[in-house]
Amino acid sequence: MTNSKTIEAQSMLEAILQSAVGAIITIDTKGTIQTVNPATVRLFGYSELEMVGRNVKMLMPEPHRARHDGYLSHHMETGERKIIGLGRDVEGQRKDGSQFPMHLSVSAFEVQGVHFFAGIVHDLSARSRLQEEVGRQSALFQVVFDHVPEPLIITDVDHRILLVNPAVKRVFGYSSEELAGQSTAVLYDVAADFVRAGNAFVNLEADGEERTGPLSLRFRRKNGDAFPGHLARASIRDQIGGQAGILGMIRDMTFEHKQVDARLKTQRLEAIGQLTGGVAHDFNNLLTIITGNLELLEDYVADPRGFDNLKRAQGAAEAGARLTSRLLTFARRRRLELQIVDLNEQVRAMLELLTRTLGENIQLSTRLAYNLWKTQIDQSEIESAILNLAINSRDAMPNGGKLVIETTNVTLDGDTALSDGAAAPGNYVRMSVSDTGVSM
């Protein structure tokens, strides 16, 4: 009965050995291979006959191959265990010379007083490939994450910040250390926009959506400056499909808004110019009739008092003609007429028009150079330039302020002309318009 059980147990052990997924190798105290199972043959590429009776170091790459006998002798002499009963990840070498990662577990046992060692080998190639792929994807993600020009923010489901890319510091002024663990509420100008962003995302999540469309919101930088932006968000899913976090991308729309404002201002000026040109043209036709009839009346008016009234009427008509000329210049409906003029006189002549244009809440003053050089300009063009600059200054000072027009003589040499943007070295007259308004 005992022999029967022993034979049965041996049969079971043999069956386990033959069917084991892991490679199982037994060696003696000299390192000579005693037995191998089929998994060992499949893993290393050697047949059983090629392995049994040879030193196990044949399955190892250098430098472990050259050192193995020494390791084994050291253990037999001292009993010190560096791998036996512990297991470790090492490299194996196949018959074709290729190397692969494996986990090796070694145990010691005795049979009839003779010492042996058993090694169980698990191929880690699949795990290594997976780790390499994960590492490659992680590196790719990091490169993309770091170089996206828009701020990217990863949060948990409670909107606490976990990770930000470098663009966040450029746009918001916060370092990643300052934001880690904080609520994204710190990035919004008002709490209502933070709530709006969160509610929009929750509603889309309830509908099974993966991302939100861009939301137009107001954000705030570390220095307190508010700015317009677009926010897009998407879910981060775990392996079982649960929501693990949120990825948000913010686009600073400051520049785009300035471009829109500039286009609107240009369109507004064009519309005003067209309207002004039409009105000025019609008004000029009326003035032509008025001035013509006033000239005819000169031959019929003999009374000195009446003649003085006639001259005042002609002066008023001439002033109206000058005004229409300026309006037509603003509307770009006349050719350039260059004249040698005194720019100071040109500025003084416009002060009344500028005062009416700017309004009572803007203080207008001049700093006109003494003995200013004469210059060749189109009077209407310079008047139009001064008027446009004044209107821009007025728009930049909605709550009032100061506007100063200054003239000065300037002599540019070669180096100064290059840096100053002038066409060539020489003598110039400079006119400057400055205000206390906000930046354009």
Side-chain angles (χ1 to χ4, degrees), residues 352-364:
E352 182 179 356
L353 174 62
L354 291 174
T355 300
R356 293 197 303 268
T357 301
L358 295 174
E360 297 179 353
N361 63 338
I362 295 179
Q363 179 182 343
L364 174 63

Side-chain angles (χ1 to χ4, degrees), residues 127-139:
R127 189 184 75 174
S128 179
R129 287 193 296 269
L130 178 60
Q131 290 175 338
E132 289 177 359
E133 179 62 20
V134 170
R136 188 189 69 81
Q137 292 186 9
S138 296

Side-chain angles (χ1 to χ4, degrees), residues 103-334:
H103 182 79
L104 173 62
S105 300
V106 180
S107 61
F109 64 96
E110 289 185 23
V111 177
Q112 297 179 354
V114 180
H115 292 279
F116 295 94
F117 301 95
I120 301 177
V121 177
H122 293 284
D123 186 1
L124 301 181
S125 298
R127 189 184 75 174
S128 179
R129 287 193 296 269
L130 178 60
Q131 290 175 338
E132 289 177 359
E133 179 62 20
V134 170
R136 188 189 69 81
Q137 292 186 9
S138 296
L140 179 61
F141 165 79
Q142 193 64 51
V143 170
V144 174
F145 189 75
D146 288 344
H147 289 84
V148 169
E150 311 293 353
L152 295 177
I153 301 170
I154 295 178
T155 71
D156 61 17
V157 293
D158 296 321
H159 310 291
R160 288 189 298 269
I161 297 172
L162 302 176
L163 186 66
V164 299
N165 71 338
V168 169
K169 182 172 180 59
R170 176 178 55 79
V171 173
F172 286 92
Y174 291 104
S175 67
S176 57
E177 293 78 12
E178 290 175 300
L179 291 176
Q182 288 205 59
S183 168
T184 53
V186 71
L187 303 177
Y188 292 88
D189 185 33
V190 293
D193 276 353
F194 168 68
V195 174
R196 180 184 167 205
N199 288 343
F201 189 75
V202 168
N203 292 337
L204 286 173
E205 281 296 308
D207 294 336
E209 296 288 341
E210 286 297 318
R211 60 184 59 84
T212 65
L215 293 175
S216 296
L217 304 168
R218 297 282 297 178
F219 298 92
R220 181 174 294 275
R221 308 185 206 277
K222 182 180 178 179
N223 63 6
D225 291 343
F227 67 94
H230 286 170
L231 169 67
R233 307 175 82 186
S235 288
I236 299 174
R237 300 289 181 180
D238 58 25
Q239 294 180 346
I240 61 174
Q243 186 179 358
I246 303 167
L247 171 65
M249 183 177 74
I250 298 171
R251 184 177 185 187
D252 185 350
M253 299 298 294
T254 304
F255 179 72
E256 285 78 359
H257 279 219
K258 286 183 177 180
Q259 286 186 315
V260 171
D261 290 343
R263 286 197 298 270
L264 291 176
K265 181 173 288 188
T266 300
Q267 292 171 358
R268 183 182 65 180
L269 289 175
E270 290 177 352
I272 292 174
Q274 292 176 358
L275 177 62
T276 300
V279 172
H281 181 74
D282 292 341
F283 186 51
N284 196 49
N285 291 337
L286 295 175
L287 285 175
T288 300
I289 297 173
I290 292 173
T291 54
N293 283 280
L294 288 175
E295 290 176 359
L296 293 176
L297 285 175
E298 289 181 358
D299 297 334
Y300 298 96
V301 177
D303 179 46
R305 184 176 179 181
F307 192 77
D308 288 341
N309 290 334
L310 179 62
K311 287 298 182 181
R312 283 197 292 272
Q314 288 177 327
E318 290 174 357
R322 288 194 297 272
L323 176 59
T324 56
S325 177
R326 293 167 186 162
L327 293 175
L328 287 171
T329 298
F330 180 74
R332 299 293 190 269
R333 292 196 176 188
R334 56 180 293 279

